[in-house]
Amino acid sequence: MYIFKYLLISIITLLPIYSSANNPVFTGVGIHTVQLHKTGWNQSMPIIHLNSQEELTLSFDEFAYDTKNYQYSIIHCNANWEESDLMQTEYVQGFMPNPVLDYQYSFNTTFDYIHYSLAFPNEDIQLKLSGNYIIKVFELGEEDKPILTRPFFVSESEVSIVPQIKYTASSSLRSSMQEIHFSILHPRFRIDNPREQIKVVLQQNGRWDNQMTELKPLFVRDSELVYEHNREILFDGGNEYRWLDLRSTRFAAEYVEGISFHDPHYHFTLFPDKNLGDRSYFYREDFNGKYYIDVRENRDPEIEGDYVYVHFKLPVEKPFLNSNIYISGGLTNWQMDTKNQMQYNVQTQMYELSLLLKQGFYNYQYLVQEQSNPHAEVSYFEGNYGQTENDYTIYVYYRSFSDNYDRLVGVNIANSLKYTLTK
């Protein structure tokens, strides 16, 4: 039985707790299909444990005929993705930058590209501290002009995180929202002032726009921090992701109206997508917005997967006046910018967008974002359902009064089906 040190009671004011933290994702012109995951598991989050044998793989394609002398370096960041006040030697064992040496030329594709890959930590660099990191790739001598940046995480196991995903007690939100409760257990890790020393980030699937950061424990018990804020840690349930199969250029999969070849490239025209916002919930297995590269007619998708133009269409009677519509998911790097913003076609009465994608299997959703609001809404075209299957990643950061960086002392990835939605 736990002995209370003291009890912290938070007055729930429903103040916004969504983060507008720096987004550490950047992709330069001509760079495509950037993937960062655990080596051998391409659907995984880029999270490894400190002082383990775990490894991450970064890969990307560049539309080019000749290779470039690419280098990479790694930057330690605080919990808000700002560069830490650390010397490079404090968090890396080895020297930087280092070359990206593994590359292959595309074969028998309509787009000529070079596929680069890199596994790390490796013989050149080892990571000495936990926390948030950014890897950036650039041409030799141009470190201040990266061609891409991607975030990754190095975690300690100082705390355990016990999550629970449930229907909210509010009857008006019960059918559409998911409420997240969790406890942080630290029996062998001293935390003197949890409200000041602990920072928690809560992320739904891979989205950055609606992640929560300003969370404080409701109860502080002996070796336990309890986060049970009714009506505060709430996420839109959303809906299962739509899917798109581009693995074959010969046979049109479901939702593909037609495949055409306009010399020299392939075009996939999709059937107009339906508005799911006013329909009943229906479970469909998905990847929660992720994708994987694959081809039907060839053997090596990394270099034999072609790039094709995919034409999306979303019927809407009238254009939105003060909001934008975006295609969201791993296929657009979870970003909301001009590259994945749909444009309204008055003649067809549809929002339309063409994306250049590598052959594979993709998940996506349509998000609506008011121009003055960084948090996008999923409900309008996808619907909101409390029983939707989602992944929630809980990051726990710790900084003592003598530390000069944020330690990532625990991570938990909770699936809403595994951690059963309780009534």
Side-chain angles (χ1 to χ4, degrees):
M1 180 176 181
Y2 290 107
I3 301 173
F4 282 80
K5 285 184 177 179
Y6 51 97
L7 175 65
L8 299 174
I9 301 177
S10 300
I11 300 175
I12 299 171
T13 59
L14 293 179
L15 292 175
I17 54 178
Y18 294 105
S19 169
S20 58
N22 299 327
N23 191 325
V25 177
F26 169 75
T27 308
V29 176
I31 305 300
H32 299 268
T33 318
V34 182
Q35 295 184 294
L36 179 59
H37 51 76
K38 283 186 179 180
T39 301
W41 184 11
N42 61 11
Q43 293 293 300
S44 64
M45 297 285 288
I47 304 170
I48 57 176
H49 288 85
L50 185 65
N51 299 324
S52 72
Q53 298 300 312
E54 294 175 319
E55 193 179 64
L56 295 173
T57 295
L58 172 72
S59 62
F60 62 93
D61 295 338
E62 181 181 30
F63 288 175
Y65 298 103
D66 298 313
T67 60
K68 295 185 176 67
N69 191 353
Y70 282 132
Q71 308 281 304
Y72 72 93
S73 63
I74 291 173
I75 302 168
H76 191 280
C77 298
N78 63 21
N80 294 323
W81 294 104
E82 300 160 335
E83 187 170 353
S84 300
D85 296 326
L86 295 172
M87 299 289 290
Q88 188 180 101
T89 53
E90 293 183 83
Y91 62 87
V92 168
Q93 179 179 328
F95 298 97
M96 294 191 296
N98 288 301
V100 180
L101 299 175
D102 191 353
Y103 60 85
Q104 295 175 284
Y105 290 89
S106 62
F107 177 73
N108 197 28
T109 56
T110 62
F111 279 88
D112 292 311
Y113 62 86
I114 300 170
H115 178 77
Y116 293 87
S117 64
L118 164 70
F120 68 97
N122 50 44
E123 294 179 353
D124 296 319
I125 60 164
Q126 294 289 321
L127 303 175
K128 299 161 65 175
L129 302 178
S130 67
N132 290 354
Y133 284 86
I134 292 175
I135 182 169
K136 66 176 181 177
V137 178
F138 49 90
E139 283 197 68
L140 179 64
E142 298 187 356
E143 190 164 357
D144 59 337
K145 298 178 182 178
I147 63 164
L148 67 89
T149 62
R150 283 299 185 275
F152 67 95
F153 307 84
V154 177
S155 175
E156 302 176 50
S157 299
E158 296 289 354
V159 304
S160 298
I161 305 165
V162 181
Q164 183 184 34
I165 304 167
K166 59 189 299 182
Y167 291 108
T168 180
S170 172
S171 59
S172 62
L173 302 175
R174 192 174 179 81
S175 64
S176 61
M177 308 291 286
Q178 292 180 346
E179 184 175 316
I180 316 302
H181 292 183
F182 59 95
S183 294
I184 299 173
L185 308 180
H186 58 102
R188 294 176 297 277
F189 186 69
R190 181 173 175 177
I191 302 174
D192 295 320
N193 188 342
R195 293 183 70 84
E196 298 298 327
Q197 295 176 326
I198 293 293
K199 180 181 179 66
V200 174
V201 174
L202 183 54
Q203 189 176 57
Q204 183 191 53
N205 300 325
R207 290 177 61 179
W208 290 85
D209 65 291
N210 68 341
Q211 70 176 11
M212 297 185 183
T213 61
E214 303 303 322
L215 301 175
K216 302 297 181 182
L218 181 63
F219 303 113
V220 176
R221 300 170 178 164
D222 186 26
S223 300
E224 181 182 16
L225 310 178
V226 180
Y227 293 76
E228 292 185 357
H229 301 282
N230 182 30
R231 293 196 180 187
E232 187 173 350
I233 313 181
L234 290 175
F235 283 86
D236 290 334
N239 203 345
E240 310 302 343
Y241 280 78
R242 304 170 192 256
W243 61 268
L244 174 61
D245 188 347
L246 306 177
R247 291 175 292 178
S248 174
T249 55
R250 299 178 185 176
F251 305 101
E254 189 176 2
Y255 307 124
V256 177
E257 185 175 16
I259 302 173
S260 57
F261 182 76
H262 302 293
D263 196 12
H265 304 304
Y266 286 98
H267 292 255
F268 282 63
T269 300
L270 307 185
F271 286 105
D273 270 316
K274 297 177 181 179
N275 187 335
L276 305 178
D278 56 358
R279 300 190 175 201
S280 299
Y281 172 77
F282 178 77
Y283 173 75
R284 310 183 298 275
E285 188 173 356
D286 64 5
F287 301 128
N288 288 331
K290 301 183 183 73
Y291 68 90
Y292 66 90
I293 301 304
D294 195 14
V295 288
R296 292 288 196 193
E297 287 88 21
N298 296 304
R299 295 182 178 180
D300 189 346
E302 290 186 344
I303 59 172
E304 294 184 275
D306 210 342
Y307 278 85
V308 300
Y309 287 100
V310 183
H311 305 285
F312 295 83
K313 296 177 288 186
L314 183 64
V316 179
E317 289 185 3
K318 298 179 181 179
F320 288 61
L321 295 179
N322 298 310
S323 300
N324 297 319
I325 299 176
Y326 298 92
I327 295 178
S328 176
L331 77 172
T332 55
N333 299 312
W334 303 99
Q335 305 294 288
M336 289 184 289
D337 54 30
T338 55
K339 295 178 183 179
N340 63 314
Q341 179 182 337
M342 305 191 79
Q343 301 298 323
Y344 191 74
N345 186 328
V346 178
Q347 295 181 336
T348 62
Q349 290 188 305
M350 295 184 188
Y351 274 94
E352 300 174 348
L353 179 67
S354 296
L355 293 177
L356 184 61
L357 300 174
K358 195 172 186 177
Q359 284 184 270
F361 195 96
Y362 291 82
N363 278 183
Y364 67 98
Q365 285 185 335
Y366 293 106
L367 299 184
V368 179
Q369 183 185 41
E370 294 182 8
Q371 294 174 358
S372 59
N373 187 357
H375 173 213
E377 297 293 338
V378 68
S379 59
Y380 193 94
F381 291 109
E382 306 296 346
N384 256 341
Y385 307 99
Q387 61 265 54
T388 302
E389 180 261 329
N390 288 302
D391 286 327
Y392 291 94
T393 307
I394 304 169
Y395 302 92
V396 179
Y397 299 90
Y398 169 81
R399 180 186 286 218
S400 73
F401 299 114
S402 60
D403 286 336
N404 61 345
Y405 74 100
D406 294 327
R407 296 169 60 182
L408 181 57
V409 294
V411 178
N412 185 287
I413 302 175
N415 184 273
S416 60
L417 293 187
K418 179 179 179 181
Y419 295 89
T420 306
L421 293 167
T422 57
K423 297 185 179 181

